Amino acid sequence: MKLFIKLGISIFVISLTLLTSQLTSCYACSCVPQTLNQYVERAEYIFVGKVVGTRFMKDPRKGSNNNMTIETTFEVSKSWKGGESSDAVVYTSYSSCGYLFKFQQEYLVFAGKDMEVSYCTGTKPLELAEIELKELGPSSEIQKEQREENNTTLDIMLNNKLIEFKDHLPYLNAEGRAMIPLLRDGILDQLGITESAFNDSKDIRFLTKGIELTITVGTNYLSLDKKDSVLMDTLVTRKNGIVYVPIRYILEPFGYRISLNEENKVVEITSN
């Protein structure tokens, strides 16, 4: 069975504009004005962190077919309340008051029960939080934990021919997904798939044979022909300035078959 799962009509249609644009105000959300002390009192977790990943998913806690939850992972640098872990995961509802974080930007985060965040909790971009940071006072400086990454490199075979990569190699990520780098004159060019980046290179569009596919860096969101929304089971990522994408999700819509031989560390691509 292919990994693609078309979202049902009951699930909200996700807009690429909303995914990649940080709204400065939430017009449909009405928040009661709070003082900083009130935000602090109501929050269970207060920290400064940089967004390292965003995952869209059905809300596993609320059990509603009509509710989409956005899970955002932070690399924490400072903490005032709730713990001193170098990583934090917060949840926000895909609704009028849901907070839409931007990939690789820093925020002052006020998270409530179950790490929930909204426009009404006091969270804001770090660059706009100078007054709050001063009033919060001293924080615990969080040291980044050094984690071993899965550096298992892969060979890529296209119709039984080995594809050569030089400096940036395909690899198997921690979730067991084969990731390939987007490079000039790379494998996609050889397949006749054109790619173009927009929205400050956060969104990448792929096009061939009248089929259009769009991904957003740092998320698991994929749009197919601007109408079908797909939630991938892994994230598009950027390492050392190079974007890596899950090869199966990128190539299967264009009619290619993908098979992974984990024992031999080989991905085989064949034309249908």
Side-chain angles (χ1 to χ4, degrees):
M1 179 182 295
K2 293 185 177 182
L3 290 176
F4 283 87
I5 303 175
K6 293 185 178 180
L7 300 184
I9 297 176
S10 60
I11 300 177
F12 289 109
V13 176
I14 304 175
S15 164
L16 280 176
T17 302
L18 289 178
L19 294 181
T20 55
S21 301
Q22 175 65 54
L23 303 179
T24 56
S25 61
C26 194
Y27 299 105
C29 180
S30 178
C31 301
V32 177
Q34 304 283 325
T35 66
L36 178 60
N37 286 338
Q38 288 174 314
Y39 286 135
V40 171
E41 183 179 349
R42 294 186 177 187
E44 294 192 10
Y45 304 87
I46 304 174
F47 63 88
V48 166
K50 181 174 71 173
V51 176
V52 295
T54 300
R55 189 183 299 270
F56 293 80
M57 60 186 186
K58 292 182 180 180
D59 194 322
R61 299 161 298 158
K62 298 181 179 179
S64 171
N65 292 327
N66 296 320
N67 198 358
M68 185 74 71
T69 288
I70 306 172
E71 176 191 276
T72 303
T73 302
F74 287 87
E75 183 180 279
V76 178
S77 59
K78 298 181 179 180
S79 176
W80 286 266
K81 190 176 181 180
E84 298 185 0
S85 173
S86 63
D87 295 317
V89 178
V90 303
Y91 300 89
T92 189
S93 175
Y94 186 73
S95 65
S96 60
C97 288
Y99 202 104
L100 303 178
F101 294 99
K102 293 181 72 174
F103 182 56
Q104 291 189 332
Q105 289 205 1
E106 289 188 289
Y107 293 84
L108 172 62
V109 179
F110 295 82
K113 183 180 179 181
D114 296 327
M115 297 298 285
E116 292 186 348
V117 173
S118 76
Y119 275 98
C120 300
T121 62
T123 294
K124 61 173 53 180
L126 187 61
E127 61 187 16
L128 302 179
E130 183 177 352
I131 294 176
E132 288 83 356
L133 292 173
K134 186 175 181 179
E135 293 187 15
L136 283 170
S139 64
S140 297
E141 300 294 325
I142 308 299
Q143 297 298 319
K144 181 179 179 181
E145 296 180 10
Q146 298 297 325
R147 291 185 172 87
E148 292 187 7
E149 295 186 17
N150 187 340
N151 293 319
T152 302
T153 58
L154 299 171
D155 286 329
I156 306 294
M157 302 288 293
L158 174 58
N159 294 326
N160 297 318
K161 180 181 178 180
L162 180 66
I163 302 297
E164 294 186 5
F165 292 84
K166 295 181 179 179
D167 298 328
H168 307 284
L169 304 177
Y171 69 95
L172 195 68
N173 70 10
E175 296 167 306
R177 300 293 174 250
M179 308 292 287
I180 60 168
L182 297 184
L183 303 170
R184 181 176 297 178
D185 299 325
I187 185 172
L188 297 184
D189 292 311
Q190 297 181 43
L191 295 174
I193 300 173
T194 60
E195 63 179 86
S196 58
F198 60 101
N199 193 24
D200 295 329
S201 298
K202 294 183 179 67
D203 295 331
I204 301 175
R205 180 185 296 116
F206 304 90
L207 182 65
T208 190
K209 300 177 181 178
I211 300 174
E212 181 178 316
L213 183 153
T214 305
I215 59 173
T216 301
V217 178
T219 79
N220 67 326
Y221 176 77
L222 181 151
S223 172
L224 185 59
D225 287 335
K226 298 181 180 180
K227 58 183 180 180
D228 291 326
S229 300
V230 176
L231 300 186
M232 300 180 288
D233 60 2
T234 194
L235 304 183
V236 177
T237 188
R238 182 183 281 115
K239 298 173 61 175
N240 300 320
I242 302 298
V243 174
Y244 287 80
V245 298
I247 187 171
R248 184 183 299 275
Y249 282 104
I250 300 303
L251 293 187
E252 280 190 346
F254 297 126
Y256 293 93
R257 293 182 180 179
I258 310 298
S259 60
L260 170 63
N261 186 322
E262 291 193 44
E263 182 178 355
N264 296 325
K265 306 298 185 291
V266 174
V267 174
E268 298 180 0
I269 306 170
T270 55
S271 304
N272 282 337

